[in-house]
Amino acid sequence: MTENTMYDETAGQWCVNSNQKSPAEEGHIIAMQVNAEIDRIVSERQFVWICDYDYKTELRRLVSIKAFPLRADRLAFYGPDFLGWIRQTALSLWEKGYVAKD
């Protein structure tokens, strides 16, 4: 187990095992969330493809695929461009044969 050290500007000292996260850790956490969301979208697209839906139902399911659908502040947090990029990347990966491992 490694120690988590962080410089506390208010105290003017280094803190060992701090609960604060460094910017690199924050970026890594967001990257892992985005990767998981891409895998979820790929799995959802695969599910729609496997199911034998009629045309209208399949189209409705495909249109409803969104990135982070359960997060209330998703537009404010990620922005519409980034959410669109996540969705397009996932669908592009699926079209190229990528299948998320469950």
Side-chain angles (χ1 to χ4, degrees):
M1 184 173 187
T2 62
E3 290 182 345
N4 182 11
T5 58
M6 176 66 72
Y7 185 73
D8 185 357
E9 292 179 16
T10 58
Q13 62 188 4
W14 287 91
C15 301
V16 177
N17 292 329
S18 171
N19 289 333
Q20 298 175 353
K21 292 184 175 37
S22 69
E25 287 177 313
E26 292 286 335
H28 185 72
I29 290 169
I30 291 174
M32 297 215 18
Q33 290 172 341
V34 169
N35 285 342
E37 189 61 17
I38 287 173
D39 283 348
R40 187 197 63 80
I41 292 172
V42 168
S43 294
E44 191 171 337
R45 178 61 183 98
Q46 182 72 14
F47 178 79
V48 171
W49 182 72
I50 290 172
C51 291
D52 193 21
Y53 291 122
D54 62 83
Y55 176 75
K56 286 184 180 181
T57 305
E58 182 174 339
L59 185 61
R60 194 169 42 240
R61 291 288 305 252
L62 292 176
V63 170
S64 72
I65 296 175
K66 294 183 176 22
F68 301 102
L70 301 178
R71 186 171 176 147
D73 66 340
R74 67 191 195 96
L75 280 174
F77 189 80
Y78 293 104
D81 293 337
F82 191 55
L83 290 173
W85 177 85
I86 292 171
R87 182 177 187 273
Q88 285 308 114
T89 300
L91 296 177
S92 175
L93 285 170
W94 181 83
E95 289 171 359
K96 293 176 182 170
Y98 174 75
V99 177
K101 295 179 182 175
D102 294 328

